[in-house]
């Protein structure tokens, strides 16, 4: 009894530490900065064919271009110092653009430039936040993000009632505050210490997951586009206030669930629940147009929640060593926002061609409903699971797991467990994790079976982790030509002809 009480006390202390961590506080401030700054693009987008909201959403693609160029020049670009500097520049640029747009101090072309800056800045900062969260355990990330979401929702609601012209001041304060917290909390590793690509074994399910998320982004973009086409400062303040109320309720539920269920919630589960709830909201919008403002607020809020779900999902994919975050995040985040931008353009320019007034609203709702139902089918029926074994703090806090070591389990030895493999008992779960072989163990068995040399065995591990030949050469302090010869010998001894065949062989050894 006393042991159980001590565990609960330690867990409560751990929750308090997570909530008071600069990472959680800073991310909540970032969410306020991001949501408020982008909301200023709605009034300036009213009645425009190519709107600032569309440009701001599309400008996220600049993040992908930046990462592509950066990685090509230096695979270890995002060191802690580099990330701090990049996030500072992006935050300051976003704050300046936000103030200029909010105070209507720019000509039309200047608004478009500011919109592009806001979109790119927000995407860049959320990327460096993701790299910081990726170093935390899975339960810490979920609890921290849910707590930050709740705090940000409360601050958003208070900001909506503080006067429209004070919001830019709050946005700037939150932007600078989030950067300071990030600087205090960041513990990111250089990218060249992480594997860039390990192809998942269930590729089709991941493709379905990506398509489903993109369809949701398009559907929510259509709602945003029809809203922006008639938006005013007053209407957006009322809409954002209602969205903030919905955000407070949902974020509180998510936080309580993450604390109560601890590490047993997957981001894919959140996505599926979100998909089902959004279908209900859209259907209610169709059958009950008298409360269209309520459903609209919930739909606008859904875009924020979808981004948070994707944020958690990408971090978990990185932790499971399926695809590395530096490669995955810019690509997926760009696809998500480009889909949203396409929806914005459709809502503002294509749907109005079919009619005006109530007819235009009905057309929009029906199209969104079709897209949401299609996306929900792809997401709810998805079989992707990325449940993680306990790492360090998770293991120490797990009830009924005696003898669990207190030391951290490195990300390099994290393993994937399917839902059907998870025992009911936490102690049995930990034992199942311990029994699984690491990737290095599987590679060692392959090397012994096929009589690889010591150096070839070392190269085999790096290949299985997804490193390029150039990256391996850099790590082993040899030329790329030497690594090329080792790879050729490995392929010859294993009777394979491609990297994918090698990865499949390693996966088959599990």
């Amino acid at each position: 009894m006393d042991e159980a009480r001590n565990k609960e006390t330690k867990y409560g202390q751990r929750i308090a530490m997570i909530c008071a961590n600069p990472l959680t506080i800073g991310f909540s401030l970032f969410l306020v900065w991001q949501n408020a700054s982008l909301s200023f693009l709605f009034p300036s987008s009213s009645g425009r064919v190519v709107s600032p909201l569309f440009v701001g959403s599309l400008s996220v693609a600049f993040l992908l271009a930046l990462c592509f160029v950066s990685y090509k020049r230096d695979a270890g670009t995002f060191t802690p110092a580099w990330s701090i500097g990049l996030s500072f520049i992006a935050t300051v640029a976003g704050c300046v653009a936000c103030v200029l747009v909010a105070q209507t101090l720019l000509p039309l072309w200047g608004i478009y430039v500011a919109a592009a800056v806001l979109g790119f800045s927000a995407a860049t900062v959320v990327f460096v936040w993701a790299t910081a969260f990726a170093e935390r355990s899975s339960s810490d990330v979920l609890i921290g993000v849910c707590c930050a979401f709740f705090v940000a929702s409360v601050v958003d609601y208070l900001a909506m009632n503080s006067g429209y012209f004070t919001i830019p001041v709050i946005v700037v304060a939150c932007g600078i505050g989030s950067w300071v917290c990030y600087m205090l909390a960041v513990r990111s590793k250089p990218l060249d210490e992480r594997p860039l690509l390990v192809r998942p074994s269930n590729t089709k399910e991941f493709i379905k997951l990506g398509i489903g998320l993109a369809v949701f982004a398009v559907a929510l973009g259509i709602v945003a586009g029809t809203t922006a086409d008639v938006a005013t400062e007053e209407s957006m303040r009322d809409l954002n206030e209602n969205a903030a109320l919905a955000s407070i309720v949902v974020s509180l539920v998510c936080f309580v669930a993450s604390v109560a269920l601890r590490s047993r919630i997957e981001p894919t589960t959140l996505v599926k629940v979100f998909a089902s709830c959004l279908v209900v909201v859209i259907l209610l919008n169709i059958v009950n147009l008298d409360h269209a403002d309520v459903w609209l607020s919930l739909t606008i809020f859904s875009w924020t929640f979808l981004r948070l779900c994707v944020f958690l999902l990408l971090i978990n994919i990185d932790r499971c060593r399926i695809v590395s975050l530096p490669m995955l995040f810019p690509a997926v985040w760009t696809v998500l926002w480009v889909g949203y931008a396409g929806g914005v353009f459709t809502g503002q320019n294509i749907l109005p061609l079919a009619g005006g007034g109530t007819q235009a609203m009905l057309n929009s709702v029906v199209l969104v409903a079709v897209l949401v139902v299609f996306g929900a089918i792809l997401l709810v029926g998805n079989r992707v699971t990325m449940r993680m074994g306990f790492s360090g703090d998770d293991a120490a806090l797990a009830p009924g797991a005696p003898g669990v070591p207190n030391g951290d389990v490195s990300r390099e030895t994290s393993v994937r467990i399917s839902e059907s493999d998870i025992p009911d008992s936490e102690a049995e779960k930990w034992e199942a994790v311990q029994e699984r072989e690491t990737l290095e163990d599987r590679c060692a068995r392959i090397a012994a079976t096929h009589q690889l040399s010591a150096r070839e065995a070392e190269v085999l591990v790096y290949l299985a982790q997804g490193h390029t030949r150039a990256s391996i050469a850099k790590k082993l302090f040899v030329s790329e030509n030497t690594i090329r010869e080792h790879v050729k010998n490995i392929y010859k001894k294993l009777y394979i002809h491609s990297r994918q065949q090698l990865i499949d062989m390693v996966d088959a050894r599990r």
Side-chain angles (χ1 to χ4, degrees):
M1 192 71 177
D2 291 337
E3 184 179 353
R5 188 178 296 117
N6 289 336
K7 288 180 180 178
E8 292 300 329
T9 301
K10 290 181 179 179
Y11 188 67
Q13 294 173 346
R14 181 63 181 172
I15 298 301
M17 289 175 61
I18 295 172
C19 295
N21 192 288
L23 196 67
T24 303
I25 298 172
F27 191 64
S28 65
L29 295 177
F30 163 74
L31 291 177
V32 175
W33 174 73
Q34 175 185 240
N35 293 338
S37 61
L38 293 178
S39 69
F40 285 114
L41 299 180
F42 276 83
S44 59
S45 299
S46 179
R48 305 194 185 281
V49 176
V50 179
S51 65
L53 181 61
F54 170 78
V55 172
S57 303
L58 204 61
S59 66
V60 175
F62 291 137
L63 172 63
L64 183 61
L66 171 67
C67 291
F68 177 80
V69 173
S70 300
Y71 299 162
K72 193 172 182 180
R73 296 183 61 183
D74 181 8
T77 297
F78 280 85
T79 60
W82 204 92
S83 297
I84 289 172
L86 178 64
S87 60
F88 176 77
I89 294 172
T91 300
V92 171
C95 289
V96 172
C98 173
V99 171
L100 293 177
V101 172
Q103 302 298 328
T104 62
L105 299 176
L106 295 173
L108 181 59
W109 65 267
I111 293 177
Y112 284 103
V113 172
V117 170
L118 281 173
F120 171 69
S121 299
T124 302
V125 177
V126 76
F127 176 40
V128 297
W129 274 108
T131 61
F133 271 106
E135 300 303 321
R136 271 44 179 189
S137 66
S138 55
S139 62
D140 283 6
V141 171
L142 181 61
I143 294 172
V145 169
C146 290
C147 178
F149 185 28
F150 174 71
V151 173
S153 303
V154 173
V155 175
D156 269 338
Y157 181 74
L158 295 176
M160 293 303 139
N161 292 279
S162 63
Y164 191 81
F165 293 102
T166 63
I167 295 178
V169 178
I170 296 175
V171 171
V172 172
C174 288
I176 299 300
S178 69
W179 177 80
V180 172
C181 290
Y182 173 80
M183 185 176 62
L184 295 175
V186 67
R187 294 291 186 273
S188 298
K189 297 179 182 178
L191 293 192
D192 60 352
E193 293 184 11
R194 302 179 183 180
L196 287 180
L197 174 63
V198 177
R199 290 179 177 84
S201 55
N202 49 353
T203 307
K204 291 183 179 179
E205 294 299 323
F206 277 92
I207 292 175
K208 285 169 55 179
L209 182 64
I211 294 175
L213 294 173
V215 169
F216 269 110
V218 173
L220 296 175
I222 291 174
V223 175
T226 54
T227 303
D229 199 43
V230 294
T232 62
E233 292 182 358
E234 188 63 29
S235 66
M236 285 309 302
R237 185 171 68 175
D238 295 338
L239 181 63
N240 289 332
E241 184 175 344
N242 292 333
L245 280 173
S247 183
I248 290 174
V249 174
V250 174
S251 60
L252 181 59
V253 171
C254 290
F255 177 67
V256 172
S258 66
V259 171
L261 298 177
R262 304 186 181 183
S263 59
R264 294 189 289 273
I265 299 180
E266 287 190 82
T268 48
T269 304
L270 289 178
V271 170
K272 292 176 182 180
V273 172
F274 163 77
S276 303
C277 293
L278 187 57
V279 170
V280 173
V281 170
I282 298 300
L283 293 179
L284 287 174
N285 200 358
I286 294 176
V287 301
N288 192 357
L289 285 175
D290 293 337
H291 295 87
D293 55 336
V294 176
W295 313 131
L296 178 60
S297 299
L298 290 174
T299 309
I300 294 295
F301 151 74
S302 297
W303 173 234
T304 300
F305 191 75
L306 177 63
R307 298 200 309 270
L308 279 178
C309 288
V310 174
F311 180 85
L312 289 169
L313 187 64
L314 296 181
I315 292 175
N316 213 27
I317 290 175
D318 172 72
R319 179 173 286 108
C320 293
R321 300 193 337 178
I322 298 170
V323 183
S324 167
L325 194 67
M327 174 178 287
L328 181 69
F329 193 97
V332 173
W333 209 249
T334 298
V335 170
L336 194 71
W337 275 93
V338 168
Y340 185 76
V344 169
F345 186 84
T346 301
Q348 282 193 277
N349 301 290
I350 298 178
L351 288 181
L353 298 177
T358 306
Q359 183 61 43
M361 179 183 295
L362 186 59
N363 292 338
S364 173
V365 171
V366 171
L367 178 58
V368 170
V370 172
L371 291 174
V372 166
V373 170
F374 176 65
I377 292 173
L378 293 174
L379 296 178
V380 174
N382 198 279
R383 295 192 298 273
V384 167
T385 179
M386 292 170 291
R387 194 178 295 275
M388 298 294 299
F390 288 120
S391 65
D393 297 328
D394 295 336
L397 294 173
V404 172
N406 292 325
D408 290 339
V409 176
S410 70
R411 291 162 49 111
E412 292 299 315
T413 59
S414 297
V415 295
R416 282 169 283 175
I417 307 176
S418 64
E419 290 182 354
S420 60
D421 292 336
I422 296 180
D424 296 331
S425 162
E426 297 292 342
E428 292 174 355
K429 182 188 295 185
W430 175 252
E431 291 172 1
V433 172
Q434 291 291 75
E435 291 173 359
R436 297 300 183 91
E437 282 188 310
T438 65
L439 181 142
E440 290 79 5
D441 293 334
R442 300 196 298 272
C443 289
R445 285 203 293 126
I446 292 174
T449 301
H450 295 272
Q451 298 180 343
L452 301 185
S453 67
R455 178 63 86 179
E456 288 169 352
E458 194 172 5
V459 172
L460 174 65
V461 173
Y462 285 123
L463 288 173
Q465 289 176 346
H467 289 284
T468 63
R469 293 174 183 174
S471 175
I472 299 173
K474 184 177 179 181
K475 286 179 173 294
L476 300 182
F477 303 101
V478 296
S479 70
E480 192 170 344
N481 286 333
T482 301
I483 297 300
R484 187 176 291 108
E485 286 300 316
H486 285 316
V487 172
K488 183 189 298 184
N489 292 334
I490 291 171
Y491 284 3
K492 183 178 180 180
K493 292 179 180 180
L494 300 185
Y495 302 100
I496 59 177
H497 305 284
S498 68
R499 174 77 64 89
Q500 184 58 55
Q501 288 179 313
L502 185 148
I503 293 172
D504 291 341
M505 177 180 287
V506 174
D507 285 343
R509 292 277 174 159
R510 288 192 297 177

